[in-house]
Each structure stands twice: as C-alpha cells, then as structure tokens.
Amino acid sequence: MAKLSDKLSNLFGVGTVKSRDLTRLELTTLQDILFDFPFRYDDLSRAVKISAVLPGQKITIQGTIRSMTTRRSQRSARLQVTEGIVEDDSGAIKVIWFHQGFLTKILKPGLVVSLGGKADDQYGLSLVNPVYEVLGKARVAKQTGRIMPIYRLTGGLTQKFRRSLVEQALVAGNKLPDWLPARIIKEQKLTSLHHAVAALHFPANEEDRLDASKRIKFDEFFLHQLLHAKTRRELKSQLAPAVPFNEEAVKKAVSKLPFILTGAQKKAIWNIIKDMNRPEPMNRLLEGDVGSGKTVVAALVAFNAAQDGWQTSILAPTEILAEQHAQSLGKLYGDKITVALYTRTKRRLGSKEVSKAQLLSALRNGQAEVAVGTHALLTGDVLFDRLGLIVVDEQHRFGVRQRQALKDKKGSADGIPHLLSMTATPIPRSLALVLYGDLDRSILDEYPAGRKRIVTSVVEPGEANEVYDHMKREIALGRQIFVVCPLIEESDALGANSVNEVYNEFVSGPFSGYRVKMLHGRMKTAEKDEVMRSFANGEAEILISTTVVEVGVDVPNATIMYVEGAERFGLAQLHQLRGRVGRGTDQSYCYLHATDKLSGLAAERLRALQNSENGFELAELDLKLRGPGNIFGTEQSGFERFKMGTMQDIDLMAAAKDYAKEVLDESPNLDLFPTVKNRLEDYLLEVHFE
Ligand code: ADP
Ligand code: MG
C-alpha cells in the first residue's frame, strides 16, 4: 500500500511530464498532495432531474447519452463544437463542449454519465462545458454530484488528475495520527486531523468544510505560538550584555541635537536603556508613525552602548533605506561615532568608501561602532567584535530565531545581543496582544513639533483629471509625485498588472513627455533599488508602484501621494502611504482615488483619513469597520506564513496562544506531550526554510 512519504514520480500513471509539472507546484510526495488544499470549490452537489434544470443554476445531472456529434460552428469556422443529448427518466437536455472534439471518442451513446456544471439558455437550454464522468455499474459519481475541490494547476495537469492523486493520498494517510492533546480537541470542539484533511478536499457540505478549516487553522496557529513561546522562554534563560547607562555622555548628545526630543521619544529611550542594562536579552518593539522620529531613538541608544564599547547593527529592508539610515546617523553623530554601511553594492566607513575586506575588519576589530546594512550584515564572513544591540527596521519576520543564528557573529560579547524592532505600522492594542503579546512595546504617539498637515482629499471615480492638473503644476515647481496602485487580484500578488496599466495610461495620455518610472514586486531587487534611487535623486517626476514604497524611503522633494483604488487599502496602510510625502518643507497632498463608486461604508472610511492624522486611531477604526483582516498589507501582518489562517481568525489565534502557554507551563521541554514535540520538530524544519 502506498505511504505518504512515497514519491509521486513512482506512482502508476505519473510520467516524467506530470511529475515535472507537479514539482513545479512543489508537490513531490503524497504527503505534499494531502496538505495542498484546494484554493476554491465548485459546488456541484445539487443533483437534479433533467426536467427540473433551470438556466443559471450550477447542478449535476445523471443520464444516458443518446447522441454525440462534433462540428465546426456556423458563426466561426475556428470554433469546434461538440454537442450531445443526455436523457433521464424525466426528460432530455442538450450538452455543449467547445474545443473538446475528443469527447466523441469517450462519451459514446448508451453510456451513463454524470455531468456537473452551469445550465445556460444562450444556445437553447443546455449545459455548457460541464465536468463529465462516465459512471460504472454502481453509478457512484466522484467527479460530480458533490462540492468539487479546485486545485492549483500548471502545464498539462488537470483537476481530474489532481483529484485522483488526492484520493490516493487520502488512502495512504488513512491513519494520520492526531498529535494535538485530546483535551484541546475537546475544549475547542475540533474535528480529528484525519477528518479535517479529508473534508477539506471533499467536504460533505459547507459546515463540514468550515469545521475542517478551523482545525487546520488551529494547528497552524498553535504550532506558531508554541514555537514562539518556547523560543522566547529559552531566550529569557540566556544572557545578554548588561550595558551601563552613560548618563553624562547621552545627556550631552541630546543637548547637541538640532531639535528637542518629544516626551514619547524620551520615554522610549529611557525604557530601552533600562532594558539593556539588565543581563537578559531585550525584545522590544518601537512603534511610531512615519515621521514620528524613531531613528533618533535608535541612534541614541546605540550611542549609549558605544560609550561602553558595544557595537550596534541596524538592519533595513532595502539597500537604499540602509543608505539613508547611514546618512542620517552620520549627520546625527558627527565625528562622535563611526558608522559603517554594508550592503551588496556599497561599503562605507564613516564618509569613506572602503573595500569589503577593510569593512569586515572594521566590524571585527570594533572600529565600526554602528553598522547599518541589509541582511547582508548577517551573512557569511561578517564577524563583530562586541555586538550588543540589533535594531531591525520594518522587518516583522526578523525574530528570535534569526537572533540565535547571530550568536556566532557577535564576537566576544557575553550572551546574545539585545533586539529593538521598529515599525511604522500602527497596531491596535487588541491585535498586538495576540500578535506580539510577548514583546515589550514603546509607542511614539507624539509628533515632533512643526510637522505640516498633509492635505488629504477623496477623489471620486472619473474626477482624476483635476488631480492630474495639480500634479503637473507641482512638477512645474520641481516637485515629484508618488502614484500607488493596488493589487488587482490575488493571483497578481506582485501587482505588476495594475502598475503596468496605470503606467501605460499615464505615459500615453496626460503625462506623455514626462519622466515616469515604475516599480513592482516582479522586478529584481537590484532593479528596484536602482529605480528607487534614481527617483530619490530626482531623475523622474512620477513614480508608479505597488505598496513597495510603503516602507520608508525618504524623498523630501515628493509632494503628492496619489493612491489608485484607494478603497481597496486598509486605513492604516493608506495612512502609511500618506506619510511618504510631507517630509520636506513644502505643503504636501494626498489624493485617494476611488476606482469604483464608493459605498457608504467605503466613503466613511476614506473620509476618516481626511480628518485624522493618527495612525493608531485609524487602525482602530478600520478594525471596527472591517475586522482585523484589513489592517495590514499581507506582507506585514505575519499571517502570510499560514496556509489557511487569516487575520479574521484572530480569536482562534488567541486561543491557540493560551493553549501554547498552558502546555509549556506544564511541560517546558514538551516531554509530557511527545506527539506535540514531534510535530513541532517537523514544523521547525518547515519554517526554517522560510
Ligand atoms: P521615522 O519614525 O519615520 O523613522 P525619522 O526618524 O526618519 O522618522 O524622523 C523624521 C524626521 O523628524 C527626521 O528628519 C528627524 O530628524 C526629525 N525629528 C525626529 N525627532 C524630532 C523631534 N523631536 N523634533 C523635531 N524633529 C524631529
Ligand atoms: Mg524610519
């Protein structure tokens, strides 16, 4: 009998071509098949008598084929039409397939078939392109007559073939062990793992499917929370350098700043310094709107650490952001601190370009006190002298595990480095407790004085022309424009389509003759960096992009943020986009262009942006209006790691979190829960490759 670990390529009926196609979907074993769930379903469970078929319905019929013919269409010779008549004891109906002439060889008159699909009356009442299945003696339909799973396909793969693999996998996975403690299953009213997996592929009905997906979501959340909590506990038991507060030096540095710190900044700095003073690893999140002044907080705590010989490494999500950080830190520090920049293409020590070898040695011997870079800083041959603090800007993924990996890089420091994560994503309290409950948080909810209000307006569909005129006036004054596009559909997760469309519309119409650049997720990192850099250098007037610009590149010369399809974004996200402008001294504007006529709710949401400049307030409002699913862009929530779980399932996540705590309290090394321990070990391997 087949086992779940069996390779698909060894199965009967899977040749090299199919095997290659499956590999492209990252499916190599029956186990993979079992856990690659349908991305949607086609409900063909309504079986009806032929006489009861009505146009527009999705149904399944069973009957005998009376005739089958294939011909060219009268309207277009290129169109091949196969037409059949199928009859049951109540009547007969026409069935039409396009471009499937081979069916006359399969669906011979006299055979009993089950057909599932949509009834149509465009060609007289008929079923058009239905799924077909020849029934054996038992007349049991498998491919029709129920809720049909629809899977990802590529190359020559078909739904039928994928389903047949799933059936084999379900047989092989017959005794899928349930690893969750029975008490949790009972209290949470979860179905067994085996039933859940089977029902996700072939649900008996909608309720069955929902129960099944709840179980799978719970498993994902529980593992995630367990791993998180366990690593956190292990981390807590480790040492970190106790960095003294060098009060005098810090006070002096503060007094030399070109501005006065806000109360929120002072409080954050003080909390971080206190954390770092203890010999246990700090794990703190610094939250604050774009422009709330997070950089100077990081700069000052790094400065304090440097007084005692501790190095700080600051990680930015992109090369250009790393460069900007290095630049602004250089300005803040003057010659007090040596800042190093290390990215794929740039190595700088202070204001000097240096070779890679020189830079590595400056990190190694401690000459570089603050090192700014991308993830390159954590790879390969980089070694520090005494790394005491890691600051991570806008990278929610950087967590406890990556920090463990740094142990080898930190040089002679005691224990592992402290961690400060920074984010501009405003996270409502209720969500933060579940998502980051084990992090200490500092919030910059006070804005530096003298910030200009960004004038925000909602633009109704069809009213964009006035905005285009305003853009042209700003460009004439030498200013620049951001245009941000939404993702059109889920499958277009990189947003290339919408960016391309708007780009073509702009350059062929209102902005022909202007310098317009575009940026989207389908471009290579180096290419993206290049576009961003050239826009920041003023080499284009308009930048059209997906939300990649959301993460903080500073272009002080940009004065208009124009958001296409604004109704599709979360308020907090729009607020962050708005923060991309207004960074210079000029009055800036944010236009929210709705591409669809706004419903009352959508209008209310967008108007909220006109009236509020507080990211937290907006995030709370969005949470209330639309639920937790829309607060972040998908990349930001951390939820993209889950196969099924979404932000809407935050309550289930909260429950999973409580259980993870209970289980670990009862058995910190999980020895009392051997099946959980095993599953967690597998999960660790899975996430290791993220
Ligand atoms: P973000 O939180 O988005 O990273 P930055 O740290 O880049 O914000 O700060 C935005 C701007 O505000 C910078 O030019 C910085 O020098 C300035 N700034 C920071 N703190 C203050 C303050 N307390 N008063 C005035 N300006 C400040
Ligand atoms: Mg910043």
Side-chain angles (χ1 to χ4, degrees):
M1 205 182 87
K3 294 188 302 296
L4 281 180
S5 56
D6 284 353
K7 289 247 182 301
L8 299 172
S9 52
N10 295 340
L11 294 182
F12 182 72
V14 183
T16 45
V17 176
K18 284 197 170 111
S19 168
R20 188 202 59 208
D21 287 343
L22 289 165
T23 308
R24 271 169 50 196
L25 297 177
E26 288 172 24
L27 303 170
T28 52
T29 63
L30 278 175
Q31 165 99 12
D32 297 339
I33 292 286
L34 199 60
F35 286 92
D36 190 55
F37 299 121
F39 68 90
R40 70 176 179 87
Y41 299 85
D42 228 353
D43 189 352
L44 298 179
S45 59
R46 265 175 56 104
V48 300
K49 290 281 182 200
I50 288 176
S51 61
V53 173
L54 291 172
Q57 289 180 333
K58 255 195 184 163
I59 41 92
T60 292
I61 58 165
Q62 277 189 18
T64 309
I65 299 180
R66 288 298 169 224
S67 68
M68 280 290 278
T69 51
T70 290
R71 58 178 168 76
R72 296 279 152 192
S73 152
Q74 289 142 4
R75 255 174 277 165
S76 159
R78 265 172 308 163
L79 190 62
Q80 188 193 43
V81 185
T82 301
E83 215 177 276
I85 301 288
V86 175
E87 189 181 47
D88 69 5
D89 55 16
S90 74
I93 189 167
K94 182 158 66 173
V95 188
I96 300 173
W97 287 275
F98 296 110
H99 297 299
Q100 299 191 49
F102 62 91
L103 287 179
T104 38
K105 297 214 177 63
I106 300 172
L107 303 178
K108 296 254 162 61
L111 287 175
V112 176
V113 291
S114 178
L115 301 172
K118 198 162 174 186
D120 196 314
D121 56 4
Q122 202 181 337
Y123 316 93
L125 186 63
S126 50
L127 279 185
V128 179
N129 286 330
V131 182
Y132 64 90
E133 184 178 11
V134 178
L135 298 182
K137 287 221 172 61
R139 298 209 170 178
V140 179
K142 278 188 173 160
Q143 305 278 355
T144 51
R146 54 178 169 177
I147 300 177
M148 299 308 298
I150 311 287
Y151 299 97
R152 299 179 298 143
L153 299 179
T154 189
L157 299 179
T158 62
Q159 294 297 345
K160 266 190 186 170
F161 173 69
R162 291 270 340 240
R163 283 172 204 145
S164 75
L165 289 180
V166 169
E167 280 174 1
Q168 294 180 61
L170 282 170
V171 174
N174 185 20
K175 295 202 181 70
L176 206 58
D178 211 321
W179 57 276
L180 267 190
R183 188 172 65 83
I184 300 182
I185 293 185
K186 196 162 152 241
E187 285 178 10
Q188 282 294 306
K189 300 194 176 66
L190 299 171
T191 83
S192 76
L193 183 58
H194 185 262
H195 177 83
V197 169
L200 269 177
H201 288 291
F202 296 111
N205 50 45
E206 181 62 7
E207 201 189 337
D208 192 31
R209 189 186 67 76
L210 285 176
D211 283 349
S213 77
K214 176 180 171 191
R215 168 63 205 252
I216 301 295
K217 286 172 181 176
F218 185 87
D219 282 18
E220 290 185 321
F221 290 163
F222 182 64
L223 281 169
H224 170 75
Q225 292 287 354
L226 202 59
L227 178 61
H228 220 65
K230 192 157 175 289
T231 335
R232 271 284 280 165
R233 281 172 197 226
E234 284 158 10
L235 189 68
K236 273 242 161 81
S237 69
Q238 282 183 315
L239 282 178
V243 180
F245 179 26
N246 295 280
E247 191 169 348
E248 228 157 277
V250 172
K251 284 205 165 134
K252 200 160 156 218
V254 169
S255 72
K256 294 245 165 80
L257 289 173
F259 45 74
I260 298 170
L261 292 175
T262 64
Q265 281 171 322
K266 283 188 196 150
K267 193 167 146 205
I269 292 167
W270 173 237
N271 280 329
I272 295 165
I273 285 178
K274 261 200 316 200
D275 278 1
M276 289 179 65
N277 192 227
R278 280 193 294 265
E280 71 180 54
M282 169 175 78
N283 203 9
R284 186 172 282 274
L285 182 66
L286 178 63
E287 286 174 63
D289 264 7
V290 172
S292 62
K294 295 182 289 292
T295 317
V296 67
V297 172
L300 285 166
V301 298
F303 177 82
N304 179 58
Q307 302 311 302
D308 203 46
W310 294 103
Q311 291 166 292
T312 295
S313 136
I314 301 185
L315 302 183
T318 64
E319 295 207 2
I320 174 155
L321 262 173
E323 284 168 35
Q324 289 194 340
H325 272 317
Q327 212 167 26
S328 42
L329 288 172
K331 259 191 228 144
L332 278 172
Y333 288 139
D335 52 9
K336 299 272 183 323
I337 295 276
T338 306
V339 178
L341 172 69
Y342 183 87
T343 67
R344 208 169 34 82
T345 54
K346 290 218 165 54
R347 280 117 208 175
R348 215 178 284 148
L349 195 57
S351 53
K352 280 199 299 287
E353 306 265 337
V354 294
S355 70
K356 181 172 175 186
Q358 285 170 314
L359 197 108
L360 288 178
S361 103
L363 295 172
R364 186 68 195 92
N365 68 25
Q367 189 199 349
E369 298 167 283
V370 174
V372 187
T374 52
H375 266 100
L377 255 185
L378 305 181
T379 54
D381 13 0
V382 178
L383 280 176
F384 290 87
D385 176 28
R386 297 173 82 207
L387 182 60
L389 170 65
I390 302 172
V391 178
V392 185
D393 196 15
E394 288 300 347
Q395 290 180 94
H396 304 261
R397 273 172 176 274
F398 189 92
V400 185
R401 270 176 302 124
Q402 286 93 331
R403 183 149 51 137
Q404 294 276 24
L406 271 177
K407 260 164 92 180
D408 311 335
K409 303 208 167 286
K410 68 176 179 16
S412 59
D414 325 318
I416 61 172
H418 296 286
L419 177 66
L420 176 68
S421 322
M422 306 198 293
T423 179
T425 307
I427 307 157
R429 248 189 77 77
S430 51
L431 282 186
L433 274 176
V434 179
L435 292 178
Y436 311 108
D438 47 4
L439 287 184
D440 297 309
R441 303 167 78 202
S442 290
I443 298 178
L444 299 185
D445 49 5
E446 229 176 292
Y447 296 105
R451 264 201 346 168
K452 275 218 176 75
R453 235 190 112 93
I454 296 161
V455 177
T456 304
S457 341
V458 177
V459 183
E460 296 277 341
E463 289 176 4
N465 276 331
E466 279 167 47
V467 184
Y468 294 164
D469 289 341
H470 184 198
M471 289 182 185
K472 288 178 186 169
R473 290 196 302 276
E474 288 289 312
I475 293 172
L477 293 170
R479 315 276 179 262
Q480 290 166 283
I481 317 280
F482 281 113
V483 176
V484 173
C485 307
L487 307 178
I488 291 180
E489 47 187 324
E490 277 162 62
S491 65
D492 176 37
L494 300 167
N497 291 353
S498 47
V499 170
N500 269 320
E501 272 170 30
V502 174
Y503 177 85
N504 290 335
E505 189 189 314
F506 269 47
V507 296
S508 65
F511 295 97
S512 76
Y514 286 80
R515 292 172 301 167
V516 185
K517 296 210 171 193
M518 61 175 164
L519 193 64
H520 55 72
R522 206 151 275 169
M523 292 159 64
K524 296 213 176 67
T525 308
E527 231 181 320
K528 279 192 282 199
D529 279 348
E530 187 38 46
V531 171
M532 206 53 235
R533 193 173 283 126
S534 70
F535 184 69
N537 290 339
E539 289 161 31
E541 286 120 3
I542 302 179
L543 180 69
I544 303 179
S545 73
T546 48
T547 50
V548 277
V549 291
E550 197 177 330
V551 182
V553 173
D554 210 5
V555 186
N557 192 45
T559 51
I560 293 188
M561 166 59 71
Y562 179 79
V563 186
E564 273 289 346
E567 72 274 22
R568 301 186 196 202
F569 291 91
L571 289 185
Q573 213 184 356
L574 288 171
H575 175 68
Q576 269 182 291
L577 288 172
R578 174 166 66 179
R580 294 288 119 233
V581 295
R583 308 203 112 196
T585 47
D586 304 303
Q587 178 60 55
S588 294
Y589 307 84
C590 175
Y591 288 109
L592 306 169
H593 184 221
T595 35
D596 292 323
K597 192 90 197 113
L598 288 175
S599 69
L601 179 65
E604 183 187 343
R605 291 179 57 243
L606 293 187
R607 265 200 306 279
L609 268 152
Q610 272 173 250
N611 302 329
S612 171
E613 290 195 87
N614 180 325
F616 288 94
E617 200 177 286
L618 288 165
E620 292 286 358
L621 181 69
D622 227 13
L623 184 63
K624 205 169 79 197
L625 292 179
R626 295 207 303 179
N630 303 294
I631 302 288
F632 308 97
T634 44
E635 325 79 59
Q636 290 183 321
S637 68
F639 272 73
E640 78 282 357
R641 76 179 85 235
F642 302 118
K643 270 189 183 149
M644 304 211 72
T646 70
M647 285 264 270
Q648 311 291 354
D649 308 306
I650 199 80
D651 292 344
L652 199 61
M653 176 74 111
K657 186 181 175 107
D658 292 344
Y659 282 115
K661 180 175 182 307
E662 263 182 52
V663 163
L664 285 173
D665 283 348
E666 194 174 331
S667 178
N669 53 15
L670 294 177
D671 280 347
L672 295 178
F673 301 94
T675 53
V676 175
K677 188 172 182 163
N678 270 336
R679 184 67 191 91
L680 188 66
E681 274 160 17
D682 289 346
Y683 179 68
L684 203 57
L685 285 179
E686 289 162 30
V687 293
H688 199 76
F689 296 108
E690 266 180 9

